[in-house]
Amino acid sequence: MFRSVVFFLLTLTTQIGGLAFLLFIWLKKYLKWKRTYQQLALFLAFYLFCSLMVLPIVAPAFGRTPLPLYATNKQGIKPASLLACLMNRHYVKPALKEAIVAASKAMGANVTLVYLDGNFPFWNGFPLLPHKSHDDGEKLDLAFIYQSRKDQTLLNKGKGLLGYGVVEPPISGEVNQPAICEHRGYWQYSLLKRLVPQRKAPEYAFSESHNRQLLAILAKDHRIDKIFIEPHLKARLKLGVYAKIRFHGCAAVRHDDHIHIQL
Ligand SMILES: [Zn+2]
């Protein structure tokens, strides 16, 4: 029973963790270390080996590739959270990786694109909770770009919980889609905003110029099919000409804390 629960939880949270756990149970009878903490440490090491060394080699055979774990001179892309990568949430189809690498080059060397959740490495239809749609390698979330209010330097990091939840809300005169959705009874729409402290890195403001530039580059990329942000941001950034940039519907969650793109 205990092993079934562990298998289920590890599979749900990391996709390959359950399989690594079964393999480890089979392997451990050959090990000399028998104490619980020793076996826990060995399992962690075995899991990390599978996640960091084996998966990046195997996943391309199944049509998915990992996004970079850190930015370099050649590509300015990095994750908001290494923990999410250790949970194998940063896999995408190669075309999506190419699109994001191209976007980072077009943004210039100053800007590092920060990605949030992608997809698991295997199997279409395997859910990446709590997302509804990140299950086929074709979806990726990106952090907005934030700039210092004092000296214009860029934050080059995500805000909030693993990059989610710190919102750039509607201001007076803008369409307030979160209020409309909540009024219609979609209680989950702004749930994360209520759970996540909003004062993360307040010295860095939402950069209208950089976010506009990034969203226009992504919208012009033929590989990208849809981009979701809140309607008030689309209007504020004057992106009305791009039909690909759309409202995602009240059944989702608000998208003024991150950008969602998909092939
Ligand atoms: Zn998304």
Side-chain angles (χ1 to χ4, degrees):
M1 178 65 186
F2 171 74
R3 286 181 178 182
S4 305
V5 171
V6 172
F7 173 82
F8 177 75
L9 287 177
L10 286 174
T11 303
L12 198 67
T13 51
T14 67
Q15 196 177 58
I16 57 112
L19 185 63
F21 180 62
L22 292 186
L23 270 173
F24 182 75
I25 287 174
W26 176 72
L27 279 172
K28 76 178 184 154
K29 47 185 182 230
Y30 301 106
L31 298 172
K32 284 189 188 138
W33 294 358
K34 299 291 180 195
R35 290 174 192 263
T36 306
Y37 74 89
Q38 290 172 329
Q39 297 209 341
L40 195 61
L42 279 173
F43 173 68
L44 270 178
F46 181 65
Y47 171 80
L48 288 177
F49 172 75
C50 293
S51 175
L52 295 172
M53 309 298 285
V54 179
L55 274 188
I57 296 168
V58 176
F62 293 82
R64 298 194 198 168
T65 185
L67 289 170
L69 297 183
Y70 48 87
T72 65
N73 287 341
K74 285 190 181 163
Q75 51 76 20
I77 302 167
K78 71 173 196 181
S81 153
L82 271 176
L83 179 65
C85 298
L86 293 178
M87 294 167 78
N88 315 311
R89 299 169 76 91
H90 62 309
Y91 283 79
V92 292
K93 286 192 171 174
L96 188 46
K97 183 176 179 181
E98 286 161 20
I100 206 73
V101 168
S104 101
K105 281 189 182 142
M107 290 298 293
N110 275 347
V111 177
T112 302
L113 295 187
V114 178
Y115 67 85
L116 316 179
D117 281 340
N119 312 257
F120 279 136
F122 306 116
W123 300 309
N124 286 352
F126 193 105
L128 183 90
L129 296 175
H131 301 274
K132 280 188 171 169
S133 72
H134 289 230
D135 63 356
D136 56 4
E138 299 190 357
K139 321 287 176 1
L140 180 66
D141 291 338
L142 297 172
F144 284 121
I145 300 170
Y146 302 95
Q147 194 162 29
S148 166
R149 297 175 202 275
K150 281 190 215 142
D151 60 9
Q152 310 296 298
T153 53
L154 297 171
L155 178 62
N156 287 335
K157 274 200 283 188
K159 288 191 183 189
L161 179 72
L162 305 179
Y164 292 96
V166 177
V167 302
E168 184 60 28
I171 52 177
S172 125
E174 290 182 337
V175 58
N176 191 334
Q177 192 63 48
I180 295 168
C181 289
E182 294 221 7
H183 187 68
R184 289 185 191 156
Y186 291 94
W187 58 271
Q188 90 297 340
Y189 198 72
S190 292
L191 182 63
L192 197 58
K193 173 183 174 255
R194 290 197 200 95
L195 298 175
V196 175
Q198 295 295 305
R199 292 285 296 162
K200 183 93 188 274
E203 65 277 28
Y204 287 91
F206 180 85
S207 166
E208 289 189 16
S209 61
H210 284 92
N211 285 304
R212 184 183 195 289
Q213 187 188 2
L214 172 62
L215 283 156
I217 288 166
L218 293 168
K220 283 178 198 160
D221 191 310
H222 65 278
R223 291 164 287 212
I224 307 274
D225 184 44
K226 287 184 195 135
I227 300 170
F228 296 149
I229 56 170
E230 283 302 304
H232 69 272
L233 291 181
K234 180 173 178 178
R236 191 188 300 172
L237 301 180
K238 299 183 176 61
L239 293 163
V241 294
Y242 299 108
K244 277 186 199 177
I245 303 178
R246 298 167 36 172
F247 172 52
H248 37 277
C250 287
V253 292
R254 61 193 290 167
H255 280 66
D256 53 1
D257 61 338
H258 73 279
I259 302 165
H260 168 102
I261 61 173
Q262 63 187 70
L263 296 178

